[in-house]
Amino acid sequence: MDQYVVFGNPIGHSKSPLIHRLFAEQTGQDLEYATLLAPLDEFSDCARGFFKQGSGGNVTVPFKEEAFRLCDSLTPRARRAGAVNTLSKLADGTLQGDNTDGAGLVRDLTVNAGVELAGKRILILGAGGAVRGVLEPILAHKPQSLVIANRTVEKAEQLAREFDELGPVVASGFAWLQEPVDVIINATSASLAGELPPIADSLVEAGRTVCYDMMYGKEPTPFCQWATKLGAAKVLDGLGMLAEQAAEAFFIWRGVRPDTAPVLAELRRQLARG
C-alpha cells in the first residue's frame, strides 16, 4: 500500500490525515496517510528516511523552505513560491517538489465561493511565505491591480519587484490604504494572536468587497468579524483553502481529483464540535 505523510513540528493538530482518508474513500484509492513529527534540525534526514519506502508527503510549518532545498526537481510554481508543500517520489527515485497553496486558495475563491478575480482590485495583507505562494496563481487571473500591504513596507516592495512581470502588483504600508477594494486577503498571522491587521474600515465597501482570511478557527477570526461588521459581500476563512490545496496534492499523487464539498462539510462539523 502506498504511504503518504504530512511533515511538521508541531503536527498533532493536523487535519491532513482525515482529509486524505476521506479523499481516498471517496475515490477508491488504496493508500495510508499519517503524520510525521520531524525534528526541527533534522528535517532532511527525516524526509529521506521516509522516502525509502514512502510515495509522497505534504509539508507544513516550519519546513516548507527546507523541503524546497531538499528536492531534486521543482515545478515552476514551487520555484516561483520559493517553498514546497507537496513532495512526490518519481519513478527514478528522485524527489519533486510542488506548491499547491496558491492553487488551493484560488480554487476556493473562484470555484467554491464563485468570486471573480479578473479585472478586480485585490489587496493582500502580509508579505511572508504564505503570500509568496499565492501571488502567481492570483495574477494568472489578471486582476486590475494587486496591492501587497505589510507593516515592513520593504518586504512588500521586494515581493512586488519579484512578481511585477506577471501583472500589476505594487507594495504599500497598511496606513497608506483608504480607498475601497474588491477583494481583501488576510495572509498575516494576526488572527492567530486574536488581533486585526491595522487597516482602515473604508477599504470595505458594504455589499461589494469580498474578505478572505487564510486562517480559520472554531469561531470567526478577528478579521472575519471585522469584515462581517462592515457588511462585506462575502466573508470566508481558510478552511476551504486547506481542503483545496490537499485536493491538488492528492491529484498530483493519484491522478484523480476528489470532490472537496463533502470533505469540507465534515471539517466544518468537526471544527464546530471543537
Side-chain angles (χ1 to χ4, degrees):
M1 187 183 295
D2 292 341
Q3 295 181 322
Y4 299 87
V5 295
V6 55
F7 299 95
N9 190 328
I11 198 60
H13 66 288
S14 176
K15 293 179 172 54
S16 292
L18 169 64
I19 293 171
H20 286 277
R21 177 175 62 79
L22 294 173
F23 286 166
E25 290 173 359
Q26 178 194 118
T27 57
Q29 296 287 306
D30 191 22
L31 59 87
E32 289 183 349
Y33 190 109
T35 58
L36 204 165
L37 180 68
L40 290 175
D41 55 353
E42 295 176 20
F43 168 75
S44 294
D45 289 344
C46 181
R48 288 194 185 97
F50 168 76
F51 278 107
K52 288 176 181 176
Q53 282 85 34
S55 299
N58 291 127
V59 184
T60 186
V61 291
F63 299 123
K64 291 183 181 183
E65 287 77 21
E66 284 189 68
F68 178 89
R69 294 190 291 271
L70 174 70
C71 292
D72 301 298
S73 60
L74 296 162
T75 64
R77 62 186 178 184
R79 187 174 291 109
R80 174 70 74 173
V84 160
N85 77 336
T86 302
L87 295 165
S88 304
K89 186 166 72 174
L90 303 182
D92 62 1
T94 61
L95 277 185
Q96 183 173 70
D98 204 340
N99 191 307
T100 66
D101 285 333
L105 169 69
V106 167
R107 189 173 175 87
D108 191 35
L109 270 169
T110 60
V111 177
N112 297 344
V115 176
E116 179 67 53
L117 299 179
K120 297 299 174 67
R121 298 160 298 165
I122 299 175
L123 169 62
I124 297 185
L125 308 176
V131 175
R132 178 180 291 275
V134 304
L135 287 176
E136 183 175 29
I138 291 174
L139 289 167
H141 280 255
K142 304 201 178 314
Q144 176 185 320
S145 62
L146 194 158
V147 177
I148 305 169
N150 196 53
R151 200 179 302 270
T152 307
V153 180
E154 290 78 13
K155 287 187 69 176
E157 289 173 339
Q158 176 64 33
L159 272 185
R161 281 194 296 270
E162 290 183 37
F163 286 84
D164 66 356
E165 80 275 14
L166 299 182
V169 53
V170 296
S172 175
F174 288 130
W176 307 356
L177 301 165
Q178 302 294 328
E179 295 295 315
V181 295
D182 299 308
V183 180
I184 305 175
I185 299 169
N186 180 28
T188 73
S189 58
S191 291
L192 293 177
E195 298 171 357
L196 181 71
I199 52 176
D201 291 354
S202 57
L203 290 169
V204 175
E205 182 179 338
R208 178 185 177 93
T209 304
V210 173
C211 292
Y212 191 105
D213 196 338
M214 286 191 188
M215 303 297 171
Y216 63 89
K218 182 177 181 180
E219 303 296 331
T221 67
F223 176 81
C224 288
Q225 293 176 36
W226 170 81
T228 300
K229 182 186 72 176
L230 294 174
K234 291 185 178 181
V235 180
L236 307 160
D237 68 13
L239 198 63
M241 177 181 174
L242 176 70
E244 292 297 343
Q245 63 82 25
E248 182 80 3
F250 193 89
F251 176 73
I252 291 165
W253 294 329
R254 311 302 294 186
V256 59
R257 184 175 293 281
D259 179 6
T260 56
V263 175
L264 189 50
E266 177 60 24
L267 290 172
R268 290 268 176 224
R269 280 194 294 271
Q270 295 205 8
L271 198 60
R273 288 202 303 265

